[in-house]
Amino acid sequence: SQKKPLSGKNIVVTAGPTREKIDPVRYLTNHSSGKMGYAIAEAAKKLGGNVTLISGPVSIQPPAGVKVVKVESAEEMYQAVLKEYDHAQIVVKTAAVADYRPKYAADQKIKKQPGEEVLQLERTKDILYELGQKKQSQLLIGFAAETDHLEEYASKKLKKKNADMIVANNVKTEGAGFGTDTNIVTLYKKDGSVIELPLLDKKTVAMKILEEACLLLGANGE
Ligand code: PMT
């Protein structure tokens, strides 16, 4: 049988939201369902890859045959990705990682007080940026979830994070972004080329992203 395009390659995919603890009963999070990232893991597996799926808390089932690492916070996700990074050929950062976390996570439930409560936040690590800094020969693919100025922000992310491709989705568009089974994405590649995809099932979007990744790997001479 024909050799599959990703056989012998290690693919790391992050998916889902992160949870940033406020106290034992509360946290900050977002609307990521994990569907986009899980679809990428499934597509990478179909193409023959050894897939590690690093996932925040979601309610969907992982695809068969992939290694799943469950994490909660942005910091845990960072540590988990770093562990896999050196021996990865492709990293796809689909997760919706929190940019901020509570500065002080309380050990006890925070009790109601009269008046206003102010929650102090601090920045989490920008995982994609850190990976871009540590990049050797890995193909680094990030996402951009935007509500406006898609092209400008995606191009900026591509450069600033030293990524090879940014998959941009306008999360305000019907049928795109968080929670849906479909997505509308535009791929921005390092060589300046742009590929605009129509509304598609997330599984189809995932396959198209990985087909582009295979081309880029090929161009890197592997
Ligand atoms: O999970 P679904 O419901 O299917 O929804 C899919 C999705 C909308 C979550 C997905 O398509 C998507 O856009 N994922 C990226 C969400 C996001 O956090 O975008 P961003 O523009 O804030 O971040 C840009 C990139 O940096 C992303 O690759 C993100 O993983 C990464 N990042 C962000 C913050 C941070 N602290 N560390 C990061 O690595």
Side-chain angles (χ1 to χ4, degrees), residues 104-121:
Y104 310 101
D107 287 333
Q108 268 82 39
K109 184 182 171 190
I110 299 168
K111 302 305 282 181
K112 282 193 285 287
Q113 310 266 7
E116 292 174 358
E117 178 74 58
V118 175
L119 187 61
Q120 275 198 66
L121 302 177

Side-chain angles (χ1 to χ4, degrees), residues 6-129:
L6 290 179
S7 67
K9 309 278 187 214
N10 298 323
I11 325 298
V12 177
V13 183
T14 72
T18 65
R19 274 182 190 172
E20 309 302 327
K21 183 180 168 192
I22 298 171
D23 71 12
V25 299
R26 305 179 179 98
Y27 53 80
L28 298 175
T29 190
N30 61 65
H31 289 296
S32 173
S33 65
K35 284 177 186 170
M36 189 67 248
Y38 279 47
I40 289 173
E42 188 179 338
K45 178 74 201 165
K46 272 193 188 141
L47 293 172
N50 300 319
V51 184
T52 303
L53 173 59
I54 299 171
S55 178
V58 298
S59 59
I60 58 174
Q61 290 304 309
V66 315
K67 177 181 153 197
V68 181
V69 180
K70 289 187 180 164
V71 298
E72 293 224 338
S73 64
E75 183 58 32
E76 283 172 23
M77 186 168 277
Y78 174 68
Q79 297 300 341
V81 176
L82 217 53
K83 241 188 192 166
E84 305 292 333
Y85 197 46
D86 281 349
H87 48 268
Q89 278 74 47
I90 304 179
V91 178
V92 190
K93 290 244 46 263
T94 324
V97 184
D99 291 315
Y100 294 90
R101 68 174 167 225
K103 191 164 180 185
Y104 310 101
D107 287 333
Q108 268 82 39
K109 184 182 171 190
I110 299 168
K111 302 305 282 181
K112 282 193 285 287
Q113 310 266 7
E116 292 174 358
E117 178 74 58
V118 175
L119 187 61
Q120 275 198 66
L121 302 177
E122 64 183 10
R123 288 290 302 270
T124 56
K125 276 199 197 82
D126 185 331
I127 305 171
L128 186 59
Y129 178 82

